[in-house]
Amino acid sequence: MARFIKKQKHEIGLPPDELLFRGDKKSEEVTIRVIDFDSKNLEENALNELTGVLKYQEKKTVTWLNIDGLHNPGLMQEIAMVFDLDDLIMANVMNTTARPTVHEFDNCIFISVKMLQLNEDSGMISVENLSLILTESILISFQEKKGDVFEPIRERIRKKKKRIRNGWTDYLAFALLDIVIDNYIYIISVLGEKIEVLEEHLGQNQPDASVIKKINAYKRELNFLRRNIRPAKEMILALSKMESEFIFENTYVHYKELLDNMNQAIDSSDSYREILTDQLNLYHTTISSKLNDIMKFLTIFSVIFIPLTFIAGIYGTNFEVLPELKFQYSYFIMLAVMVVMATAMLIYFKKKKWF
Amino acid sequence: MARFIKKQKHEIGLPPDELLFRGDKKSEEVTIRVIDFDSKNLEENALNELTGVLKYQEKKTVTWLNIDGLHNPGLMQEIAMVFDLDDLIMANVMNTTARPTVHEFDNCIFISVKMLQLNEDSGMISVENLSLILTESILISFQEKKGDVFEPIRERIRKKKKRIRNGWTDYLAFALLDIVIDNYIYIISVLGEKIEVLEEHLGQNQPDASVIKKINAYKRELNFLRRNIRPAKEMILALSKMESEFIFENTYVHYKELLDNMNQAIDSSDSYREILTDQLNLYHTTISSKLNDIMKFLTIFSVIFIPLTFIAGIYGTNFEVLPELKFQYSYFIMLAVMVVMATAMLIYFKKKKWF
Amino acid sequence: MARFIKKQKHEIGLPPDELLFRGDKKSEEVTIRVIDFDSKNLEENALNELTGVLKYQEKKTVTWLNIDGLHNPGLMQEIAMVFDLDDLIMANVMNTTARPTVHEFDNCIFISVKMLQLNEDSGMISVENLSLILTESILISFQEKKGDVFEPIRERIRKKKKRIRNGWTDYLAFALLDIVIDNYIYIISVLGEKIEVLEEHLGQNQPDASVIKKINAYKRELNFLRRNIRPAKEMILALSKMESEFIFENTYVHYKELLDNMNQAIDSSDSYREILTDQLNLYHTTISSKLNDIMKFLTIFSVIFIPLTFIAGIYGTNFEVLPELKFQYSYFIMLAVMVVMATAMLIYFKKKKWF
Amino acid sequence: MARFIKKQKHEIGLPPDELLFRGDKKSEEVTIRVIDFDSKNLEENALNELTGVLKYQEKKTVTWLNIDGLHNPGLMQEIAMVFDLDDLIMANVMNTTARPTVHEFDNCIFISVKMLQLNEDSGMISVENLSLILTESILISFQEKKGDVFEPIRERIRKKKKRIRNGWTDYLAFALLDIVIDNYIYIISVLGEKIEVLEEHLGQNQPDASVIKKINAYKRELNFLRRNIRPAKEMILALSKMESEFIFENTYVHYKELLDNMNQAIDSSDSYREILTDQLNLYHTTISSKLNDIMKFLTIFSVIFIPLTFIAGIYGTNFEVLPELKFQYSYFIMLAVMVVMATAMLIYFKKKKWF
Amino acid sequence: MARFIKKQKHEIGLPPDELLFRGDKKSEEVTIRVIDFDSKNLEENALNELTGVLKYQEKKTVTWLNIDGLHNPGLMQEIAMVFDLDDLIMANVMNTTARPTVHEFDNCIFISVKMLQLNEDSGMISVENLSLILTESILISFQEKKGDVFEPIRERIRKKKKRIRNGWTDYLAFALLDIVIDNYIYIISVLGEKIEVLEEHLGQNQPDASVIKKINAYKRELNFLRRNIRPAKEMILALSKMESEFIFENTYVHYKELLDNMNQAIDSSDSYREILTDQLNLYHTTISSKLNDIMKFLTIFSVIFIPLTFIAGIYGTNFEVLPELKFQYSYFIMLAVMVVMATAMLIYFKKKKWF
């Protein structure tokens, strides 16, 4: 399947609120985890059924509901009913191929963004869709598979870190997005270090064929990354300008920091892109200048022998009358002439700075 | 005829409301189809004459009038009269070469967009103009030829899908445009998969001449597609910002989703364009580096034989006095010297990393 | 003289209202033509003197005054006086090298735009300046030379076409500009067809030197065209947004259509520009890949003969002791060895996919 | 010193109002010239001391004070005191390396722009800084050296041209800026003509090395020019939008015309830049296609002789048993075979369209 | 570590107000310096402990607190407490890898910018983070290491320069930023001079391999510089538009001048970037045209000898019947023919302008 965009033929013309899972199924099970807290109390729970959520719903606490696995339309329907969400939102949650976006609804904000993860061995970047639904006291996060990057946040909640425990769902959403963007920067940083190592290598060594493979591999990953983070910037910008009842005044400073981080990520990825282009050019320059040197050397070498061989050819002819052949010192004279000619040509080429 | 833009000399200077069919005639017959529905009732009809439409006009239901074939000025005139439309609009409907656009009139909204269809065999994209006229209770859609992509919508209407049956003409227009844009994304997705397959192929195999043909073919189709969808984005943007009495408040969320989809389509087409450019560069790099290797090998090969042949030439001369010729082991010494020279040169070139 | 921009040294520092003709004189005579009409009456006249215009000035009809030839400062002065126009405007009218622009004055709107005309034989585009002065009941159009493209409009006036006969000077100005822009699109369409024909040709045939000449010629004309129509778009945009007493509410829909047309023209010219660049690249790729094939073939051919010639050279030496020479089958063995060597090399090269 | 930007180390950290001359000293003397006029009276004066200015200061006339030479901090201090100007302004006046800009102060407008002058012999463009201080009744212009381009304006004042004599300082400033921009256009026009001549030359002749030198020289000058006029456009734009008490309502039409001219200048310089790039590409294409032709010819030539020489080599061997040597017509047969072979190869290459 | 962006894995998910030093530790010690002044009094102090600052805090004077070394979280905590600053700000101060930015808080403005320093020997640019916290009467500046570029400002304060002594913290902040930007311009100016020297060198000499190394080195430094100053421009722009109680009306003119300077810096760096690209192209053109000349010469040289050697080869064959061999003048005729052939070929090549 295409890595950048996916659309099956049968998906064309579906109603916008059809609860159809679109994407690659990355998880078998669906798991539900709840963390419910205010500045004083904390309750963590792994649920089997959605009904267990109901009790948190009424409490004036922050409830973070995390759902791993999106392919169960029944559950989605249930969530829509329990939290009184538009089917449209749930359809969006299940569409993992959609573009990062933020939409404000009457009773919630819907946020969708790509989580990137670097496979440190293969250097390949994998992508997972993260959807957030933000209401006054509940934050629901939807991930495609188990095993997330949000453990540090759970730790901060458990350790009673003031900001997050005193904060509201909007702050919690910031914390999640912050980790997502930190991951972007981390990936760029890892990729960037590889690129800079390659640059140093290029400055000192003769490049070989492996260099071009590396440059192209880095370029492909960087392009993939850029394609995923560019729309995220638009989303964060829209979020930081949104005037919503679900976002408190003092959370905007954090959203603006997210924007700063996104800008840094995009700046850096632009810079590395430029560097890769420069490297590609440098590689070609080095390779072709080396080839030029070789070809020049070889050509000059050949050229010197051409007239000498010609002279030998002349005295190899079998004419009956060829006066020089009879003369006693002819052979030695010929050898001497050949040496002189070769030397003269070498001097001439040297003087012309041809080698 | 030019594929991108068409203008006959005799068309210059026509009045803007002249009902002249501009474009390639793609259908002989003109067919009229009506679907009239509200949340409870549904009536479908294929009409011979426009007069059959009159009865739907007064009813407080949504009437979708679909017309295939645009080359009949008489019918257009009639439609203008029956629905009290400006001649300008009908002239625009008949101009299938115009740019996607949206205009608000006093009693309707006029929307024009390109429908793209991929011929899966040839890989060629064909284009058809779709015009929509949106009034309070009637949506008229004009297509160039029979056989459309809107069957799924008719199905949704027949199956009493709530949103569409409760919706109004603005929602119906959204549904049509949604399918058009879904088709854009589907085409990009199909094209994209081909491009990614090619990329994988390029990474593993020696490229041959067919690759360059493919790249150029993909590029041409992608450019054609981009040229048709870029103005569509402007149109959708204008539509989603239009403050019109014919569009209900809660339909805007759908129009904004259209915009998201258009952005995704354009993003992806940009990405694939970049990938094609990279592929082209990679192709050239691979080809030229292979050629360089061959030329280098061959040149080195030649260079080694040049001095050897020269030596043989010297002892092929017919000088009467050429002392070495008399000596018993000369021939073997010469052969030995030749072997040593060739070896020395090979070692020298190897050391210089010339091969 | 430069084709893109012209400035004589003596023109520097002239006052802005100096009535100096700037440009190439394209016509000897100055001719004045008047069409005066309302929905009922029509009067056409060719005048010798400006005084003949006075009688139309007071009538509540639309008066279209067309002047061919701009090099007569006296007439310009007179026009300024008769219609009470600022000298600045007349100076602008006489400056045929200026940039397309629109300015609103107290008692008129001044519009300037480039008329392009394609010489169908040479493929060269020629440019002529058109200035329009739009007051409440008079439209004055200034052209550089006789023979215009506005005949269809005169026809429409004569044929009592409703819109133009009921319209006002603002509609007449639209009709003139519409023809100018239709001409842009026509030229792009003609140029575009040539470019697409070339593309098809390139896809099927071996390109020769004439292709590159054509590409460069098309490119030059396209650039020339683009340079003239890009500022025109800004002008049309400004016009369509201008809130002026001389433009009626219901004319704006026409001006917006002009903008649509301009956008289409610019879109298409951008597309063709891209296509030309792609063609240039394709041409270079094809040429160089063909050259590579030839060089490779020839080099391989040479390389095969090099060791064979060397062997012949060895047995051409005149050593007294050269055992192989005496042996009866030496010659045939040598020939056999040569055949084997050549075959082996061919197989090796083939296996390495060198040809 | 760098041509584009200059900053000495000791200049870092100076206070913004330090009266330090920054730039290259282009004039030894400082000269002061006054023109004082209203619609009826005119007085011209060359002053030794600033005190002579005082008498004009009170009069309700337009006073144009022109100062050539900026390296005298004492005089600058005096000017600041006499006209009650901020030291900041005078520091800006003395900094000839600054970017074109316009700033509004409480009692004046400060304008700075680059005057360009073309050395018609060398084709080099030289740059001089022009600062204008515009108050209600006084315009002070500062130039780096004597000998300016403003003589036509003095002439217009002397000749009692109405607009300038009735105008105010804002109109005078327009007149000065108009000449500066006219000079930009003139330079582009001269450069452009050279470029177009070169283009015609390129279309007809074989390019030689001088062409590339010319292209690079033109490119350098064009870039230098562009760098100086681009910020000027921003300045003019800001000026034409400035709502200041020192600019009369009816002068804005002139400022807008300046903007039109700037746009034309920038458009044209963009066009010529594109043309130069195209020329460079054409040059490379022509050169390399010619080289390809030569190399191809020479290679084919060599290839034809290679097998022939090989055959001669075979019959030059000294084998005792070489049957063909004995046969009477061998030599002639060999020659015939050679002719046939050469012909066959020529036909083959021709058929393959290799030459 | 990557030079452009740094992110450790363990930093992901930290709370935004975690006081963690991020970056390379550039200094061991932390030093605190205070300058406290108003227009009359001045007090300078190097402090060991932060408590010494308290006495300045209450005074109605400008207090400039400069802190070198950022790796002490304890001190940062203390500063936050003493001056009642949000932990967020201190976390930002300690993050030296962040993007230049400006944020307004309730009781202060936070500014962060990169200080660049050129190592004149290596030509490498090093970067240091500068953070400013601006309150009503206190300016705190944070630098990564001792030894700054702000000495000229201390001098201006000591020398009782009026503007700075009468100014407020907002003016002091301007003075610091002014020096930072002056340094940008100085570095561009130094780099620019090197680039222009190289350009002159390129115009006159045969380029050698060192040129390409220089171009690439300059390009790398320029890109590094551009990446650091581009976001600074956004920051300055935001600052100059900020409506804050901590910035006095008459300081904005200075902030606007900063913006002018930033624009100049960016313009110039853009220009030099273009010049470097042009140089790279010129280098390649020169190198390849020289190679072409050599190859052409050598090929022509070879081609002339090829048929001559062939002729000699023919008369070196040992056919028993080879009539020419017997003829007395054959040898001389052969030599003559060879001379004629070589001359004819030379003339032909010359006429075809091949050398």
Side-chain angles (χ1 to χ4, degrees), chain B residues 15 23 31-32 107 118 128 133 145 159 171 188 209 226 317:
Chain B
T31 62
I32 306 174
N107 59 348
L118 183 74
E128 190 185 339
I133 296 172
K145 59 171 193 233
K159 285 181 179 165
Y171 185 87
I188 296 172
R226 283 159 55 82
T317 55

Side-chain angles (χ1 to χ4, degrees), chain B residues 25-31 68-69 71-72 144-146:
Chain B
K25 203 174 176 179
K26 292 182 184 155
S27 166
E28 271 314 308
E29 268 182 288
V30 175
T31 62
D68 296 325
H71 47 276
N72 185 345
E144 292 186 55
K145 59 171 193 233
K146 259 182 167 167

Side-chain angles (χ1 to χ4, degrees), chain C residues 3 13 17 86 97 315 317, chain D residues 156 163 196 264 267 318 324:
Chain C
R3 190 183 180 194
D17 54 353
D86 196 320
T97 66
Y315 295 107
T317 53
Chain D
R156 272 154 63 189
R163 272 187 201 263
E196 293 186 26
Q264 195 185 20
D267 277 9
N318 298 315
E324 294 96 317

Side-chain angles (χ1 to χ4, degrees), chain B residues 3 13 17 86 97 315 317, chain C residues 156 163 196 264 267 318 324:
Chain B
R3 190 182 179 195
D17 55 354
D86 196 319
T97 66
Y315 295 107
T317 55
Chain C
R156 271 155 63 188
R163 274 186 199 263
E196 293 186 25
Q264 195 185 20
D267 277 9
N318 298 315
E324 294 94 319

Side-chain angles (χ1 to χ4, degrees), chain B residues 1-9 11-18 86-88 92 97-99 101 103 105 212-213 216 219-220 223 227 231 273 284 290-291 294-295 297-298 301-302 305 308-309 312 315-318 324-326 328 330-332 334-335 338, chain C residues 120 152 156 161 163 171 174 178-179 182-183 185-186 188-189 192-193 196 199 203 253-254 256-257 260 263-264 267-268 271-272 274-275 278 282 285 292 295-296 299-300 303 306-307 310 313-324 345 348-349 352-354:
Chain B
M1 274 301 280
R3 190 182 179 195
F4 275 151
I5 194 167
K6 285 174 247 228
K7 183 69 118 190
Q8 310 284 161
K9 200 150 195 184
E11 291 173 19
I12 300 175
L14 287 179
D17 55 354
E18 177 92 4
D86 196 319
D87 272 2
L88 262 186
N92 271 328
T97 66
R99 202 171 180 260
T101 191
H103 281 302
F105 290 87
I212 198 88
K213 286 214 167 173
N216 276 303
K219 218 173 172 178
R220 206 177 43 232
N223 280 345
R227 201 200 151 245
R273 199 177 138 86
H284 284 304
K290 191 187 162 194
L291 180 73
I294 299 178
M295 297 306 274
F297 176 92
L298 297 181
F301 190 91
S302 313
F305 279 98
L308 308 186
T309 305
Y315 295 107
T317 55
N318 298 315
E324 292 95 319
L325 296 182
K326 314 286 189 232
Q328 202 178 349
S330 291
Y331 173 57
F332 307 103
M334 182 186 78
L335 288 185
M338 284 174 168
Chain C
E120 312 250 351
R156 271 155 63 188
K161 290 271 169 184
R163 274 186 199 263
Y171 186 86
F174 152 74
D178 190 36
I179 282 197
D182 269 8
N183 254 303
I185 296 180
Y186 172 67
I188 296 173
S189 157
E193 205 176 328
E196 293 186 25
E199 186 160 42
V253 69
H254 297 296
K256 256 163 210 154
E257 207 155 315
D260 276 355
N263 279 331
Q264 195 185 20
D267 277 9
S268 304
S271 295
Y272 283 119
E274 265 178 34
I275 292 178
D278 282 357
L282 184 58
T285 305
N292 286 346
M295 297 306 275
K296 220 158 63 185
T299 312
I300 288 173
V303 159
I306 281 171
F310 165 68
I314 283 183
Y315 295 107
T317 53
N318 298 315
F319 293 106
E320 283 188 356
V321 182
L322 204 170
E324 294 94 319
M345 283 167 79
Y348 178 76
F349 295 156
K352 283 236 169 183
K353 296 204 177 164
W354 286 6

Side-chain angles (χ1 to χ4, degrees), chain A residues 312-326:
Chain A
I314 284 183
Y315 294 108
T317 54
N318 297 314
F319 292 107
E320 282 190 356
V321 181
L322 203 170
E324 295 95 317
L325 295 182
K326 315 283 190 232

Side-chain angles (χ1 to χ4, degrees), chain A residues 272-295:
Chain A
Y272 283 119
R273 200 178 137 86
E274 266 179 32
I275 292 178
L276 281 176
T277 307
D278 282 357
Q279 283 180 359
L280 213 56
N281 287 335
L282 184 58
Y283 172 83
H284 285 303
T285 306
T286 317
I287 284 290
S288 89
S289 103
K290 191 188 161 193
L291 181 73
N292 286 347
D293 285 354
I294 299 177
M295 296 306 274

